[in-house]
Amino acid sequence: MPIRSDYAQTSFRLRFLSAALLASVLLVGCAGSEPDVEPRPNILLIVADDLGFSDLGRYGGEIETPHLDQLAEDGVRLTEFYTTGRCCPSRASILTGQYPHRVGLGHMTRDTGRRGYRGSVSDDAVTIAQTLGTSGYRSFISGKWHLGTPDPTAHGFEEFYGTLVSAQTFWDPEHYTRLPVGSQPREYAPEEFYGTDALTDHALDFIDLARETPDQPWFVYLAYNAPHFPLQAPEEVIEKYKDIYTKGWDVLRAERLVRMKELGLVSEDTELTPRSPWWNYGETEAGWNPAWDSLPADRRADLARRMAIFAAMVDRMDENIGRIVSNLTARGELDNTLIVFLSDNGACAEWDPNGFDIQSSNNNILHAGDDLDHMGEADTYHSAGSGWANLSNTPWRLYKHFNHEGGVSTPLIVHWPSRIGRPGAIKSGMGHIIDLVPTLMDAAGTEHPTEFAGRQTIPLPGQSFLPILDGSDQVERTLYFEHEGHRAIRKGSFKLVARRGRAWELYDLDEDRTELRDLSMAQPQLVEAMAESWDEWAAANYVTPMPDDYDVGYMPEGGAPSLEPQR
């Protein structure tokens, strides 16, 4: 694996220390002249991987997430916050504030030869860590990088621990990397290691390191792999959920929607979507998620165990977030720490209702008897499948990969006691992960540099959502989406959306957030105008021309098989 030279590492540290020294001098000067100025906040950005919109307790789920629930109760929840629908593109937007194609990550980490699809974040992209570093912040990352480059410390982060790609195991410490070169990770006995715990351990270590320079605020990007496959979790946590999911996805979807209405997350007239369709690996088959009661008993037992492991992964992630909150509370730092929590996309349906085993493909093993008790252990590899992803994304349609609400809608919790005046509020203002960088800059009192490292930077397309949290009305805006030919544009309450190779659908999300009543035939002029706007955005942001071949095995030419709507 290519790494930066010792000279490059030394050069980076010298540049960092120089910027930090200058910022410290400026801060001291400001503090002397304005003693009552609130210190700039520390920033903790937490990203879950493949968590669905309704998986958390305070978003309607049955999974135990008391620590995130408390952050929600003491903070603000957003209900119309969007991602790109896939991990690499979302992480590119999270860190750069750009639409992902604009910085070369319109798909995954394969280079297709197209400018928007080079498979690694472009050289002209500036990360939030680099931006915050110009004003004295120290930045650290623990978790999943997945931006196609070999070293996060070349992008403004001092220290890194985690995976450079997607995690393939939660049980093996050798799968996790510590950077810069020469840095030592914690040592674990084999029976003590679990990936989610280790990411939190190192995040706490990085916070302690930042405390050595108390005049400088810190930014920690904690990018958990959970609950992305492989489904793996400690047995004692899985046991908590072993009976819950035997009820099946039909009952649980209905129960989640009831709770979401009680919590005020969706309107009382929100309809539960029909079970979503699925397309398997290579899209050789397609269908609709079946009724739970129609499945044989042995298949229901296998599937219930898969979702119990998924729930355990979310539960354990929440427990670890509680460790960090407790640490900040004990040090008196919680009130002036901005904590933002979200998922990188909707829950993952790969690839059919049964899920897969061993690797992402059509391969499925029906587990029965004693084998059920071993699911989730170190030598296993499972996914949850499309039926459970449909539950996780309640009440929306479709999943990760797609631009319908199930693929791009994420829970978003913002916690900052010294700034947020109405704890427990639920906000419906529309936002997008391109807004995270402007929001963190706004909180830090930092401006986006017009030039960085001798090159002109790209203007940011997003906007800070702090004014929404303060109660300001949102100015109408337009958001754009594309992934694997799936595409969408949202302008005000209207959303134009399509699957790859299929016609545009039009929905008024103020009246129909679950995308059940297609208005495209009734409003052709609006469809034409919005489609033209999408085309202009796509051309300007290197979305088009799209790759002739994404070099993956699950996207045949012409799009997914057509399915008649299930009623």
Side-chain angles (χ1 to χ4, degrees):
M1 180 179 69
I3 58 174
R4 291 182 302 143
S5 66
D6 291 340
Y7 172 81
Q9 294 179 40
T10 303
S11 176
F12 167 77
R13 289 184 178 275
L14 288 173
R15 290 197 308 274
F16 169 78
L17 291 172
S18 297
L21 180 61
L22 174 60
S24 298
V25 170
L26 291 174
L27 287 171
V28 169
C30 291
S33 58
E34 297 182 56
D36 295 329
V37 172
E38 183 77 17
R40 293 184 297 166
N42 297 316
I43 299 171
L44 175 61
L45 175 60
I46 307 173
V47 178
D49 199 342
D50 289 3
L51 182 83
F53 185 84
S54 64
D55 281 326
L56 303 181
R58 279 298 173 266
Y59 275 81
E62 66 290 323
I63 303 173
E64 294 180 22
T65 54
H67 303 290
L68 282 166
D69 292 349
Q70 192 62 56
L71 290 176
E73 287 298 313
D74 295 338
V76 173
R77 277 165 288 173
L78 273 66
T79 60
E80 294 186 66
F81 200 82
Y82 291 108
T83 72
T84 72
R86 192 76 180 276
C87 46
C88 291
S90 283
R91 289 162 205 279
S93 290
I94 287 168
L95 288 177
T96 69
Q98 302 291 339
Y99 283 109
H101 311 74
R102 188 65 179 78
V103 291
L105 272 167
H107 192 241
M108 301 294 282
T109 54
R110 292 179 175 88
D111 187 350
T112 70
R114 303 277 191 187
R115 182 168 179 177
Y117 306 87
R118 298 311 304 261
S120 61
V121 67
S122 59
D123 291 338
D124 61 353
V126 179
T127 70
I128 181 60
Q130 290 168 322
T131 297
L132 292 175
T134 64
S135 61
Y137 272 78
R138 301 182 65 183
S139 295
F140 308 86
I141 172 174
S142 183
K144 179 176 176 178
W145 178 241
H146 218 182
L147 292 188
T149 57
D151 189 350
T153 67
H155 298 271
F157 293 96
E158 285 185 60
E159 306 282 345
F160 168 78
Y161 176 81
T163 59
L164 295 171
V165 293
S166 188
Q168 296 300 306
T169 176
F170 285 78
W171 297 115
D172 184 1
E174 296 301 315
H175 185 65
Y176 295 75
T177 301
R178 183 75 167 85
L179 294 168
V181 173
S183 302
Q184 295 299 315
R186 287 194 184 198
E187 293 186 3
Y188 298 90
E191 67 276 8
E192 296 175 341
F193 185 85
Y194 182 64
T196 302
D197 300 346
L199 295 181
T200 308
D201 292 340
H202 286 82
L204 288 167
D205 289 346
F206 295 157
I207 291 172
D208 280 340
L209 180 60
R211 287 172 176 146
E212 295 176 3
T213 53
D215 291 335
Q216 292 178 253
W218 49 259
F219 166 55
V220 170
Y221 175 41
L222 178 52
Y224 286 113
N225 299 104
H228 191 290
F229 60 80
L231 300 180
Q232 297 176 340
E235 174 61 30
E236 68 273 14
V237 190
I238 300 172
E239 280 293 304
K240 293 171 59 175
Y241 298 97
K242 68 176 183 178
D243 297 325
I244 290 176
Y245 294 101
T246 61
K247 296 166 70 172
W249 46 63
D250 293 320
V251 170
L252 290 166
R253 287 182 76 217
E255 290 180 353
R256 283 196 183 189
L257 183 56
V258 169
R259 285 193 294 270
M260 294 173 81
K261 291 178 179 180
E262 292 172 346
L263 290 166
L265 293 164
V266 297
S267 64
E268 284 293 331
D269 60 356
T270 298
E271 300 176 52
L272 187 64
T273 54
R275 299 181 202 95
S276 283
W278 55 265
W279 299 267
N280 73 350
Y281 191 90
E283 295 181 351
T284 57
E285 295 182 40
W288 293 85
N289 289 324
W292 179 260
D293 290 343
S294 71
L295 299 173
D298 55 355
R299 177 61 69 186
R300 294 199 303 267
D302 171 277
L303 286 167
R305 177 72 178 188
R306 291 171 189 264
M307 190 60 190
I309 304 169
F310 179 97
M313 295 170 76
V314 177
D315 184 308
R316 189 61 164 241
M317 177 181 67
D318 179 81
E319 180 182 336
N320 275 281
I321 291 170
R323 292 173 56 204
I324 295 183
V325 171
S326 295
N327 181 278
L328 296 175
T329 301
R331 299 294 291 265
E333 298 168 352
L334 184 64
D335 280 359
N336 200 35
T337 298
L338 168 60
I339 301 176
V340 179
F341 174 89
L342 72 156
S343 178
D344 61 349
N345 43 245
C348 179
E350 300 174 17
W351 290 100
D352 62 28
N354 295 334
F356 62 76
D357 296 271
I358 303 175
Q359 63 181 3
S360 182
S361 66
N362 283 328
N363 189 63
N364 172 265
I365 298 171
L366 176 60
H367 300 271
D370 292 342
D371 286 347
L372 291 170
D373 294 334
H374 296 293
M375 295 176 72
E377 294 180 352
D379 59 348
T380 66
Y381 198 106
H382 320 288
S383 78
S386 58
W388 290 127
N390 209 170
L391 167 69
S392 289
N393 296 332
T394 301
W396 318 131
R397 289 176 58 191
L398 297 179
Y399 338 83
K400 172 183 175 179
H401 291 264
F402 299 93
N403 291 162
H404 286 73
E405 293 292 283
V408 295
S409 297
T410 177
L412 186 98
I413 297 171
V414 184
H415 184 272
W416 188 8
S418 67
R419 170 68 185 266
I420 295 173
R422 290 184 56 214
I426 297 174
K427 300 286 186 177
S428 60
M430 186 172 64
H432 190 283
I433 49 176
I434 58 171
D435 299 335
L436 286 172
V437 166
T439 300
L440 301 189
M441 287 168 42
D442 188 6
T446 302
E447 294 185 357
H448 187 63
T450 57
E451 183 178 308
F452 189 84
R455 62 181 184 272
Q456 294 296 310
T457 61
I458 312 167
L460 296 174
Q463 61 188 42
S464 171
F465 54 73
L466 289 185
I468 297 175
L469 305 185
D470 293 335
S472 299
D473 292 334
Q474 185 179 54
V475 177
E476 185 172 297
R477 61 191 303 208
T478 304
L479 298 174
Y480 301 90
F481 308 81
E482 190 282 331
H483 186 67
E484 296 181 338
H486 310 301
R487 57 209 186 277
I489 172 175
R490 177 155 180 195
K491 182 177 177 61
S493 69
F494 284 98
K495 180 179 176 183
L496 194 67
V497 61
R499 289 188 290 113
R500 183 170 59 95
R502 303 301 171 197
W504 287 110
E505 305 162 13
L506 178 67
Y507 301 99
D508 182 350
L509 296 196
D510 279 357
E511 303 295 330
D512 179 26
R513 179 88 189 272
T514 45
E515 301 172 315
L516 292 175
R517 294 179 288 279
D518 182 4
L519 304 175
S520 60
M521 298 297 290
Q523 301 200 47
Q525 291 180 328
L526 181 57
V527 171
E528 183 179 359
M530 293 180 71
E532 183 178 334
S533 180
W534 187 91
D535 288 341
E536 293 172 354
W537 166 81
N541 286 274
Y542 315 134
V543 178
T544 53
M546 295 181 191
D548 300 315
D549 182 4
Y550 290 89
D551 191 27
V552 292
Y554 52 84
M555 292 174 60
E557 227 174 296
S562 182
L563 292 170
E564 290 300 317
Q566 186 181 59
R567 303 299 180 189

